[in-house]
mmCIF file of all heavy atoms in Angstrom:
data_model
loop_
_atom_site.group_PDB
_atom_site.id
_atom_site.type_symbol
_atom_site.label_atom_id
_atom_site.label_comp_id
_atom_site.label_asym_id
_atom_site.label_seq_id
_atom_site.Cartn_x
_atom_site.Cartn_y
_atom_site.Cartn_z
ATOM 1 N N ASN A 483 35.621 -72.357 -11.801
ATOM 2 C CA ASN A 483 35.153 -71.432 -12.833
ATOM 3 C C ASN A 483 34.278 -70.327 -12.248
ATOM 4 O O ASN A 483 34.364 -69.163 -12.665
ATOM 5 C CB ASN A 483 34.392 -72.196 -13.910
ATOM 6 C CG ASN A 483 35.292 -73.103 -14.735
ATOM 7 O OD1 ASN A 483 36.492 -72.861 -14.853
ATOM 8 N ND2 ASN A 483 34.724 -74.149 -15.310
ATOM 9 N N LEU A 484 33.428 -70.682 -11.294
ATOM 10 C CA LEU A 484 32.548 -69.680 -10.678
ATOM 11 C C LEU A 484 33.336 -68.621 -9.924
ATOM 12 O O LEU A 484 33.029 -67.430 -9.994
ATOM 13 C CB LEU A 484 31.562 -70.360 -9.723
ATOM 14 C CG LEU A 484 30.266 -70.893 -10.326
ATOM 15 C CD1 LEU A 484 29.437 -71.575 -9.257
ATOM 16 C CD2 LEU A 484 29.454 -69.777 -10.969
ATOM 17 N N VAL A 485 34.339 -69.043 -9.183
ATOM 18 C CA VAL A 485 35.132 -68.082 -8.408
ATOM 19 C C VAL A 485 35.884 -67.138 -9.339
ATOM 20 O O VAL A 485 35.955 -65.927 -9.090
ATOM 21 C CB VAL A 485 36.093 -68.807 -7.455
ATOM 22 C CG1 VAL A 485 37.067 -67.827 -6.818
ATOM 23 C CG2 VAL A 485 35.308 -69.538 -6.362
ATOM 24 N N LEU A 486 36.446 -67.671 -10.415
ATOM 25 C CA LEU A 486 37.135 -66.807 -11.378
ATOM 26 C C LEU A 486 36.146 -65.835 -12.032
ATOM 27 O O LEU A 486 36.430 -64.635 -12.167
ATOM 28 C CB LEU A 486 37.827 -67.655 -12.443
ATOM 29 C CG LEU A 486 38.472 -66.899 -13.612
ATOM 30 C CD1 LEU A 486 39.408 -65.798 -13.132
ATOM 31 C CD2 LEU A 486 39.213 -67.866 -14.531
ATOM 32 N N THR A 487 34.982 -66.338 -12.400
ATOM 33 C CA THR A 487 33.973 -65.467 -13.007
ATOM 34 C C THR A 487 33.521 -64.388 -12.033
ATOM 35 O O THR A 487 33.337 -63.222 -12.411
ATOM 36 C CB THR A 487 32.763 -66.304 -13.473
ATOM 37 O OG1 THR A 487 33.217 -67.336 -14.349
ATOM 38 C CG2 THR A 487 31.761 -65.432 -14.204
ATOM 39 N N ALA A 488 33.338 -64.767 -10.760
ATOM 40 C CA ALA A 488 32.977 -63.789 -9.733
ATOM 41 C C ALA A 488 34.050 -62.714 -9.616
ATOM 42 O O ALA A 488 33.743 -61.520 -9.463
ATOM 43 C CB ALA A 488 32.785 -64.488 -8.390
ATOM 44 N N HIS A 489 35.319 -63.123 -9.690
ATOM 45 C CA HIS A 489 36.433 -62.166 -9.636
ATOM 46 C C HIS A 489 36.326 -61.170 -10.793
ATOM 47 O O HIS A 489 36.493 -59.952 -10.604
ATOM 48 C CB HIS A 489 37.753 -62.923 -9.702
ATOM 49 C CG HIS A 489 38.934 -62.113 -9.274
ATOM 50 N ND1 HIS A 489 40.084 -62.681 -8.755
ATOM 51 C CD2 HIS A 489 39.180 -60.772 -9.286
ATOM 52 C CE1 HIS A 489 40.959 -61.724 -8.470
ATOM 53 N NE2 HIS A 489 40.443 -60.566 -8.788
ATOM 54 N N LEU A 490 36.027 -61.674 -11.977
ATOM 55 C CA LEU A 490 35.905 -60.795 -13.148
ATOM 56 C C LEU A 490 34.724 -59.832 -12.998
ATOM 57 O O LEU A 490 34.818 -58.662 -13.381
ATOM 58 C CB LEU A 490 35.742 -61.645 -14.410
ATOM 59 C CG LEU A 490 36.934 -62.541 -14.780
ATOM 60 C CD1 LEU A 490 36.551 -63.467 -15.923
ATOM 61 C CD2 LEU A 490 38.159 -61.718 -15.138
ATOM 62 N N ILE A 491 33.619 -60.313 -12.440
ATOM 63 C CA ILE A 491 32.459 -59.442 -12.209
ATOM 64 C C ILE A 491 32.803 -58.328 -11.242
ATOM 65 O O ILE A 491 32.509 -57.149 -11.477
ATOM 66 C CB ILE A 491 31.271 -60.273 -11.671
ATOM 67 C CG1 ILE A 491 30.761 -61.243 -12.742
ATOM 68 C CG2 ILE A 491 30.139 -59.357 -11.199
ATOM 69 C CD1 ILE A 491 29.753 -62.252 -12.230
ATOM 70 N N VAL A 492 33.455 -58.685 -10.126
ATOM 71 C CA VAL A 492 33.781 -57.691 -9.099
ATOM 72 C C VAL A 492 34.808 -56.693 -9.616
ATOM 73 O O VAL A 492 34.674 -55.478 -9.414
ATOM 74 C CB VAL A 492 34.285 -58.382 -7.817
ATOM 75 C CG1 VAL A 492 34.798 -57.353 -6.812
ATOM 76 C CG2 VAL A 492 33.161 -59.211 -7.202
ATOM 77 N N ARG A 493 35.865 -57.189 -10.299
ATOM 78 C CA ARG A 493 36.883 -56.269 -10.826
ATOM 79 C C ARG A 493 36.281 -55.298 -11.840
ATOM 80 O O ARG A 493 36.617 -54.119 -11.877
ATOM 81 C CB ARG A 493 38.017 -57.065 -11.481
ATOM 82 C CG ARG A 493 38.946 -57.747 -10.497
ATOM 83 C CD ARG A 493 39.674 -56.742 -9.609
ATOM 84 N NE ARG A 493 40.471 -55.809 -10.388
ATOM 85 C CZ ARG A 493 41.750 -55.973 -10.682
ATOM 86 N NH1 ARG A 493 42.400 -57.038 -10.247
ATOM 87 N NH2 ARG A 493 42.399 -55.065 -11.380
ATOM 88 N N SER A 494 35.372 -55.790 -12.661
ATOM 89 C CA SER A 494 34.709 -54.923 -13.635
ATOM 90 C C SER A 494 33.848 -53.875 -12.935
ATOM 91 O O SER A 494 33.851 -52.694 -13.296
ATOM 92 C CB SER A 494 33.844 -55.767 -14.584
ATOM 93 O OG SER A 494 34.640 -56.668 -15.325
ATOM 94 N N ALA A 495 33.110 -54.314 -11.915
ATOM 95 C CA ALA A 495 32.251 -53.392 -11.173
ATOM 96 C C ALA A 495 33.071 -52.313 -10.469
ATOM 97 O O ALA A 495 32.654 -51.144 -10.403
ATOM 98 C CB ALA A 495 31.415 -54.158 -10.161
ATOM 99 N N MET A 496 34.236 -52.680 -9.964
ATOM 100 C CA MET A 496 35.081 -51.716 -9.262
ATOM 101 C C MET A 496 35.663 -50.671 -10.214
ATOM 102 O O MET A 496 35.984 -49.553 -9.801
ATOM 103 C CB MET A 496 36.202 -52.446 -8.518
ATOM 104 C CG MET A 496 35.707 -53.340 -7.393
ATOM 105 S SD MET A 496 37.026 -54.248 -6.545
ATOM 106 C CE MET A 496 37.687 -52.975 -5.466
ATOM 107 N N GLN A 497 35.779 -51.012 -11.484
ATOM 108 C CA GLN A 497 36.335 -50.065 -12.450
ATOM 109 C C GLN A 497 35.297 -49.087 -12.994
ATOM 110 O O GLN A 497 35.653 -48.087 -13.614
ATOM 111 C CB GLN A 497 36.980 -50.833 -13.611
ATOM 112 C CG GLN A 497 38.245 -51.570 -13.207
ATOM 113 C CD GLN A 497 39.063 -52.007 -14.407
ATOM 114 O OE1 GLN A 497 38.900 -51.488 -15.513
ATOM 115 N NE2 GLN A 497 39.957 -52.959 -14.203
ATOM 116 N N ARG A 498 34.016 -49.369 -12.769
ATOM 117 C CA ARG A 498 32.976 -48.488 -13.306
ATOM 118 C C ARG A 498 32.547 -47.489 -12.236
ATOM 119 O O ARG A 498 31.823 -47.844 -11.303
ATOM 120 C CB ARG A 498 31.777 -49.295 -13.803
ATOM 121 C CG ARG A 498 30.732 -48.405 -14.489
ATOM 122 C CD ARG A 498 29.776 -49.203 -15.334
ATOM 123 N NE ARG A 498 30.437 -49.817 -16.479
ATOM 124 C CZ ARG A 498 30.751 -49.186 -17.618
ATOM 125 N NH1 ARG A 498 30.442 -47.893 -17.761
ATOM 126 N NH2 ARG A 498 31.354 -49.808 -18.603
ATOM 127 N N HIS A 499 32.984 -46.245 -12.371
ATOM 128 C CA HIS A 499 32.685 -45.193 -11.394
ATOM 129 C C HIS A 499 31.466 -44.380 -11.836
ATOM 130 O O HIS A 499 31.545 -43.160 -12.007
ATOM 131 C CB HIS A 499 33.911 -44.304 -11.191
ATOM 132 C CG HIS A 499 35.053 -45.025 -10.556
ATOM 133 N ND1 HIS A 499 36.306 -44.461 -10.414
ATOM 134 C CD2 HIS A 499 35.150 -46.270 -10.019
ATOM 135 C CE1 HIS A 499 37.110 -45.311 -9.827
ATOM 136 N NE2 HIS A 499 36.432 -46.428 -9.579
#
Side-chain angles (χ1 to χ4, degrees):
N483 291 335
L484 274 178
V485 171
L486 174 52
T487 305
H489 196 154
L490 296 172
I491 293 170
V492 173
R493 286 298 301 267
S494 298
M496 295 178 79
Q497 291 195 19
R498 185 163 294 280
H499 294 173

